[in-house]
């Protein structure tokens, strides 16, 4: 769906729908004929706003909204404060005015967002209770498995089924889509890029310059940066950049805004015009031909989203960042292979592109989760959309550089990933996604979550009964997959020049923006393939590092079982190491 007003706040030009809306607002009242005429020219968010105005008979509210729109329509900066609200009529504006008038209006809750999927509100409630039941059940089964003679053989049989799926994934060939990579200029879809930023003064300028200089017609894309009540110089930096780049639009959120990143994206959504939406973190860096690589993927009607391969830009900073680079190569391998066998493609928050129709069908971003990307992944698949993976274009991001930051980040990922099984478990079990995707998701649920959860009672019973852990076949499978996937992933990644293999000439060691941009755009020229021995060393190092997930997942799943839900997390701080090494 294309929003008719979006970027026109820069130039003062108005679409047909906006002109009709101005005429109607000037009347200060709601008339049936006017309303019907307007509905044929407005976008869906504006139609919804219009219907609510008629329902509540708020002529005074309509006039007030017109005054705010008319007085500030030439500004390119939007402020969510009611005293300085500067963008055209839409859902968010109605929510704000509703609070002031006491109509009970507020930001939409997750159950309302998910109505198109027919997901009842109770699915998002009592996560602690559901997590406690799941944990108790897994622990009990582990204890019983040690006490019965055939417990080990049951685990061995389950491992055999997963081995079959693992072989399919490892040996899968590339699944090509019937697409035409060439687009005539008049056929290029409009793209809206969104960035939710909070206290990102160290990196936001580089991101804006990067995204506003893509090799794509400037009139065919826009960039929205949502300043989520930053307390540093982020708003000042953005104001200066807005004078330089016409594509840049800024939305400021106040201290009362809720929903985290999801809330920020939902607030900006009605203002965007793109049929395709791209979401980036503030520390992202991409190639200039990014959109030329992504857009053809959406020619397939069943594709609801596309995820870029992620890579660590400061991979040579220390041991942790080197291991994170190997971890990203492992993730890229499994993403591509799972999609190839008809399994689950997953969004990763940074470098994700979503078809607008798919996002609206799923109800937007969920504001009741701490990992918006993983939650949206499941809802897209439940709504029968596919998620493609693109490894020909890479989004670089800043890896965390100390163990404390890594612990906070991975606990958030683990808890958010587990929440989606608690929220949508009954729909997954009902095979709503189809056999292939359901079995694929089941296999990774076993190795990523159930195995770490079962490790504590399994080890405890093994010590008491003096016998090997009955989950050892599953552990061996998980470690083997990590070794194989990471080795192949590293070979693939470096051979395409998407990851530094040498410290010399690495973009994260270049000091100027121009040098770094040049290095990023021609990575293949800088990085020769690794030797097999070097790749093997990095694989072994990365696999040892991956064992931290056992501790993280075991801790996160146990914590969810005893503590109330936690939606506010320690933010990953971006230090701008890409420019200060």
């Amino acid at each position: 769906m294309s929003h008719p007003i979006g970027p026109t706040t820069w130039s003062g030009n108005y679409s047909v729908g906006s002109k009709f809306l101005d005429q109607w607002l000037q009347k200060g009242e709601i008339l049936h004929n006017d309303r019907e005429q307007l509905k044929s020219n407005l976008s869906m968010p504006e139609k919804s706003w219009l219907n609510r105005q008629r329902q509540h008979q708020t002529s005074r509210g309509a006039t007030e909204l017109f005054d705010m729109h008319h007085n500030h329509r030439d500004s390119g900066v939007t402020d969510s404060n009611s005293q300085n609200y500067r963008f055209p009529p839409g859902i968010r504006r109605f929510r704000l005015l509703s609070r002031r008038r006491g109509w009970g209006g507020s930001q939409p809750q997750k159950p309302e967002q998910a109505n198109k999927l027919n997901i009842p509100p109770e699915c998002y409630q009592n996560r602690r209770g559901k997590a406690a039941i799941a944990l108790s059940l897994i622990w009990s089964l582990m204890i019983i498995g040690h006490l019965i003679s055939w417990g080990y053989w049951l685990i061995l049989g389950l491992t055999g089924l997963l081995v079959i799926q693992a072989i399919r994934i490892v040996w899968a060939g590339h699944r090509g889509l019937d697409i035409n990579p060439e687009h005539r200029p008049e056929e290029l879809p409009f793209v809206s890029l969104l960035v939710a930023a909070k206290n990102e003064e160290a990196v936001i300028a580089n991101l804006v310059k990067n995204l506003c200089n893509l090799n794509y017609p400037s009139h065919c894309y826009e960039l929205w940066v949502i300043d989520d009540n930053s307390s540093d110089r982020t708003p000042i930096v953005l104001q200066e950049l807005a004078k330089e780049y016409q594509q840049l639009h800024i939305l400021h959120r106040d201290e009362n805004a809720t929903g985290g990143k999801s809330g920020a994206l939902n607030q900006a959504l009605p203002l965007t015009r793109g049929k395709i939406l791209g979401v980036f973190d503030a520390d992202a860096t991409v190639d200039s031909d990014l959109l030329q690589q992504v857009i053809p993927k959406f020619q397939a009607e069943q594709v609801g989203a596309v995820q870029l391969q992620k890579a660590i830009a400061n991979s040579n900073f220390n041991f942790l960042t080197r291991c994170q680079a190997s971890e990203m190569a492992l993730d890229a391998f499994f993403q591509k292979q799972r999609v190839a066998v008809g399994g689950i493609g997953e969004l990763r928050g940074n470098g994700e592109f979503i078809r607008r129709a798919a996002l609206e069908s799923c109800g937007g971003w969920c504001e009741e989760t701490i990992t918006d990307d993983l939650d949206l992944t499941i809802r897209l698949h439940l709504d029968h959309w596919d998620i493609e993976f693109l490894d020909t274009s890479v989004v670089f991001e800043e890896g965390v550089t100390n163990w404390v930051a890594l612990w906070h980040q991975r606990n958030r990922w683990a808890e958010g990933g587990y929440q989606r099984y608690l929220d949508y478990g009954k729909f997954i079990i009902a095979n709503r996604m189809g056999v292939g995707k359901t079995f694929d998701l089941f296999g990774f649920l076993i190795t990523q979550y159930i195995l770490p959860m079962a490790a504590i009672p399994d080890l405890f019973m093994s010590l008491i009964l003096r016998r090997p852990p009955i989950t050892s076949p599953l552990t061996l499978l998980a470690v083997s997959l990590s070794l194989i996937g990471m080795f192949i992933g590293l070979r693939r990644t470096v051979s395409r020049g998407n990851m530094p293999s040498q410290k010399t000439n690495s973009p994260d060691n270049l000091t100027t923006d121009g040098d770094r941009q040049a290095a990023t755009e021609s990575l293949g020229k800088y990085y020769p393939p690794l030797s097999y021995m070097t790749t093997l060393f990095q694989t072994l190092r990365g696999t040892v590092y991956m064992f931290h997930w056992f501790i993280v997942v075991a801790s996160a799943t146990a914590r969810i079982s005893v503590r109330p839900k936690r939606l506010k997390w320690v933010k990953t701080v971006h230090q701008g190491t890409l420019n200060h090494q």
Side-chain angles (χ1 to χ4, degrees), residues 310-469:
K310 294 171 63 177
I312 302 299
N314 57 333
S315 59
N316 290 299
F317 187 82
N318 61 18
F319 170 80
L320 278 183
T321 57
R322 291 185 178 92
C323 291
Q324 289 170 71
S326 298
E327 182 181 18
M328 293 300 176
L330 172 66
D331 179 70
F333 169 78
F334 279 117
Q335 284 264 57
K336 184 173 183 177
Q337 298 304 109
R338 292 172 72 184
V339 170
V341 299
I344 296 287
E346 295 193 277
L347 299 177
R348 291 291 182 252
N350 191 13
E352 63 183 33
F353 287 80
I354 309 144
R355 190 189 297 272
R356 191 185 198 98
L359 180 64
E360 292 178 343
S361 177
C362 293
W365 284 277
C366 175
E367 299 183 19
E368 293 296 324
T369 181
I370 56 178
T371 50
D372 56 281
D373 49 347
L374 298 179
D375 180 273
L376 183 58
T377 292
I378 295 298
R379 287 189 288 124
L380 284 170
H381 286 296
L382 288 175
D383 203 30
H384 306 294
W385 295 95
D386 289 340
I387 298 177
E388 285 292 320
F389 180 71
L390 181 65
D391 60 354
T392 57
S393 188
V394 179
V395 55
F396 285 87
E397 65 182 22
E398 184 179 323
V400 296
T401 57
N402 61 77
W403 288 101
V404 174
L406 182 75
W407 174 259
H408 287 304
Q409 182 188 70
R410 299 315 163 91
N411 268 271
R412 179 172 59 85
W413 291 359
E415 183 168 334
Y418 190 50
Q419 281 179 355
R420 57 183 180 167
Y421 294 108
L422 301 177
D423 293 342
Y424 309 113
K426 68 178 184 179
F427 298 101
I428 297 172
I429 295 174
N431 195 32
R432 184 161 176 170
M433 296 185 294
V435 175
K437 291 183 177 181
T438 300
F439 187 67
D440 175 76
L441 192 64
F442 171 74
F444 277 81
L445 170 65
I446 294 291
T447 55
Q448 288 181 331
Y449 287 95
I450 294 182
L451 181 58
M453 293 167 66
I456 295 177
D458 189 24
L459 291 174
F460 180 75
M461 293 299 296
S462 297
L463 292 174
I464 293 178
L465 300 177
R466 297 182 180 179
R467 62 176 62 169

Side-chain angles (χ1 to χ4, degrees), residues 19-83:
K19 290 180 179 178
F20 274 109
L21 193 58
D22 275 356
Q23 296 170 8
W24 172 75
L25 286 170
Q26 289 176 15
K27 297 180 180 180
E29 56 185 1
I30 300 173
L31 301 177
H32 176 75
N33 292 337
D34 292 327
R35 178 172 170 270
E36 294 302 314
Q37 186 180 18
L38 282 167
K39 287 178 66 177
S40 64
N41 294 282
L42 298 181
S43 64
M44 287 303 297
E46 289 170 334
K47 289 179 183 178
S48 175
W49 178 84
L50 190 60
N51 289 333
R52 288 192 176 188
Q53 291 287 5
R54 181 172 182 267
Q55 177 182 353
H56 292 287
Q57 294 296 310
T58 55
S59 59
R60 187 160 62 95
T63 304
E64 180 178 348
L65 289 181
F66 165 70
D67 289 338
M68 288 188 290
H69 171 45
H70 181 75
N71 294 335
H72 303 288
R73 65 186 180 183
D74 292 328
S75 172
V77 179
T78 304
D79 195 328
S80 62
N81 187 288
S82 60
Q83 302 299 323

Side-chain angles (χ1 to χ4, degrees), residues 262-322:
S262 295
L265 295 175
N266 281 332
Q267 185 172 337
L269 181 60
L271 310 177
T272 61
R273 294 195 300 156
K275 294 182 179 180
I276 297 173
L277 306 167
V279 180
F280 292 92
D281 289 342
D283 61 330
T285 303
V286 298
D287 295 340
S288 60
D289 66 344
L290 165 68
L291 295 182
Q292 299 176 25
Q293 299 285 334
V294 172
I295 298 305
K297 290 282 189 179
F298 285 97
Q299 291 181 18
E301 294 183 357
Q302 77 276 14
V303 174
V306 175
Q307 174 62 50
L308 302 183
Q309 179 173 339
K310 294 171 63 177
I312 302 299
N314 57 333
S315 59
N316 290 299
F317 187 82
N318 61 18
F319 170 80
L320 278 183
T321 57
R322 291 185 178 92

Side-chain angles (χ1 to χ4, degrees), residues 396 492-500 522-524 527:
F396 285 87
R492 285 181 179 176
T493 302
V494 175
S495 65
R496 289 193 306 273
N498 293 336
M499 192 176 100
S522 56
L523 286 172
Y527 308 128

